[in-house]
Amino acid sequence: MPKLLPLISSHPGGRSALTCRYRCGDACLHETPNTSGNAYVGDLIAGAVSRRSLLRASAVVTVAAATGTAAAAGQAPPAAAASGGAAKAGKPARGLRFSPVAPNTKDAVVVPEGHDQNLVIRWGDPILRGAPAFDPDNQSAKAQAGQFGYNNDYMAVLDVPGERDRQLLVVNHEYTDEVLMFAGYDADNPTRGQAEIGWAAHGLSVVVAEEHRGVGKLTAVPGHRLNRRITGTTPFEVTGPAAGSKLLRTSADPSGKRVLGTLNNCGGGITPWGTVLSGEENVNQYFAHGGSVTDPTAAARLKRYGITGGASERKWERFDDRFDVAKEPNEPNRFGWVIEVDPFDPESTPRKLTALGRFKHEAAEPRLTTDGRPVLYMGDDEKFDYFYKFVSSKRMMKGGSRTAREHNRTLLDEGTLYVAKFTGDSPASQIDGSGKLPHDGEFDGSGEWIPLATGDTSHVEGMTAEEVYVFTRLAADKVGATKMDRPEDVEPSPRTGRVYIALTNNTDRGKDGKAPVDEANPRQGNKHGQILELAERRNNPGSTRFNWRLFLVCGDPEDPSTYFGGFPKDQVSPISCPDNLTFDAFGNLWISTDGNALGNHDGLFGVATAGGRRGEVRQFLTVPNGAETCGPIVQDRRVLVAVQHPGELDGASVEKPASTWPEGPGTLVRPAVVSVWRRDGGDIGA
């Protein structure tokens, strides 16, 4: 008989046990990997200091001057507004003028009144020429390698040169739910065929989509010359300062410069020169027998990255020795990187970028310094882990010439890797764990970027540069980085330059032996998360100093611990567990959620970041049973979302589905990309 997951509900937040099992290897139930003695923000507060409000800092004065934003739009909210205040009159911000969707538990994608939707592409739909139509009863690795992968997450959209009304989608495939993919799946005894299908269902899909004039409908175009699948066995080139390191060498690759595949791809970003970045996140779960390693140094390194115990969940080590740490101790070091893909060259070799460090990468979002050097912001999605950035040492070359392309290809291989240290500006006694605002009316403060390595030079005592890049978490431990509540996606505002960080949740905050509350993470047992707003000094992302404040403290608006940028709380949509972020053309931040702990389905929300409507959260859609909202893209006349892991609820299987989305009863539940548009053809929310 197949081994089914028992019906349990002990997992933190709103996630099902099935999600925790397949997505991250039950990371939240294991000992927190970060056992360093690093200070938390609250421990760094030495008493009340002169208030350094984020948007009064020189960084944001520069932003306001550059963008023409009224200074008053970014001022700290008055205490009355922060605590509820009087009702706001007038219309919502432009871009958010739709009828908010009410929280619900419908097994459907629910969109605002007056909007339509369509499925752009689903798991198993053919992409490459010759790939067969999806047949759930006759799956194969060869077929899956030509079909759209599983559990779509991050999405990038680019124009197709010379082809009007077509767009190029680049979509991550984070992980596989074997129990929802294969009838009769036995978790104790998976087959080689199932393992190989799993390898092929990971990675990325590059697929052209056709626009339908007058509406926001998109339709995938199979067999297009730009279409591509990148899987768990696709060859990758390793570049940057750790390429060739002895820490990356294996019996199959003694050079340390060629890796097969990419796994657990989560957030990403588009570079200014047109390539797509993708972060490898919970890669620890694929590797077996970490607990059998006896060398103390090696065991400590594996443990810091969550690689412990015996057999892996998917048992891939039975079919390929590289997933067995006891046989290939360096193979895990070859995952956990940011990868770079050229979506316009299907024959190009994707790359793993070692200069950006190795950890559980949720995102890699770029900006340019004032002198034209690319900067990437990156979160490490683990309880009590850190927030990073990379500053290139080279300027970007403009244009599409061959010289420019070759030069820009090197920009993410040379530079300085930093980790963030946050300091609050209120006395610790005013941060009591309830979420009550301190006396100055905001959770805010300042911070610094601590350098870890520049090229072949380490800035961390006792570690070589190669060790810093391969074991970045350990380097950040050593320099005293600030522990955060699961820093996930990050998005710089294209209008103001302010950087928004989704801190999804951390139910361990304040528990005995765990991190206490602090100004950046102000709630005990934080199950709803918050969004932090960061401004680099002088609005230069190359700066080593910044100011910050909490923009949203999420949850039920009736909960006194919540905060919505100072907007009256009786006029906002409830929001829990922010994850992926994006911006629209009006400067509004859009937030997708993962693990809604309010008892409703996850969804997509828009919120104004400036002006009199700042903090007004409005829900745009919800997703089906067990699903997560991923990869949001907000265009003028279209919103795209990746509906990930629908039906992923405790006890579910192919035989006992918890969702019938998207095709109805009697069909296999399938992750898919959805397009939403206004029925009258107008701009979204305008």
Side-chain angles (χ1 to χ4, degrees), residues 585-602:
F586 301 103
N588 302 306
L589 182 68
W590 290 67
I591 307 160
S592 65
T593 63
D594 170 21
N596 181 353
L598 293 171
N600 305 302
H601 285 182
D602 280 312

Side-chain angles (χ1 to χ4, degrees), residues 101-235:
V101 169
N104 65 78
T105 56
K106 296 180 180 179
D107 189 25
V109 174
V110 180
V111 300
E113 181 182 350
H115 290 67
D116 286 328
Q117 60 178 291
N118 83 294
L119 293 176
V120 180
I121 192 167
R122 302 157 295 182
W123 165 49
D125 284 348
I127 289 177
L128 305 185
R129 293 177 183 174
F134 180 64
D135 184 346
D137 298 320
N138 292 285
Q139 299 181 55
S140 70
K142 181 179 180 180
Q144 178 65 86
Q147 297 167 335
F148 192 68
Y150 199 81
N151 271 343
N152 31 225
D153 195 311
Y154 171 77
M155 295 190 293
V157 175
L158 304 102
D159 293 330
V160 179
E163 297 188 32
R164 186 181 177 187
D165 297 330
R166 285 189 169 181
Q167 296 192 323
L168 186 63
L169 301 182
V170 183
V171 185
N172 286 356
H173 302 294
E174 186 174 3
Y175 66 102
T176 46
D177 282 298
E178 278 76 3
V179 71
L180 301 181
M181 296 169 66
F182 306 118
Y185 181 69
D186 185 347
D188 290 330
N189 296 288
T191 67
R192 171 175 283 278
Q194 289 167 340
E196 291 179 348
I197 292 168
W199 300 340
H202 278 72
L204 296 88
S205 292
V206 181
V207 58
V208 170
E210 184 86 34
E211 297 183 285
H212 295 247
R213 294 188 184 182
V215 295
K217 185 176 181 179
L218 280 180
T219 306
V221 180
H224 192 279
R225 59 182 177 82
L226 292 179
N227 289 3
R228 184 180 188 182
R229 275 303 321 279
I230 294 171
T231 73
T233 58
T234 298

Side-chain angles (χ1 to χ4, degrees), residues 226-250:
L226 292 179
N227 289 3
R228 184 180 188 182
R229 275 303 321 279
I230 294 171
T231 73
T233 58
T234 298
F236 277 73
E237 176 188 6
V238 182
T239 66
S245 167
K246 64 181 181 181
L247 298 170
L248 300 182
R249 298 171 189 167
T250 66

Side-chain angles (χ1 to χ4, degrees), residues 383-402:
K383 291 181 294 184
F384 305 119
D385 256 296
Y386 308 127
F387 184 59
Y388 299 84
K389 81 172 178 180
F390 169 83
V391 181
S392 178
S393 60
K394 295 181 178 180
R395 297 181 183 181
M396 188 186 86
M397 186 177 293
K398 296 181 180 180
S401 67
R402 180 176 179 180

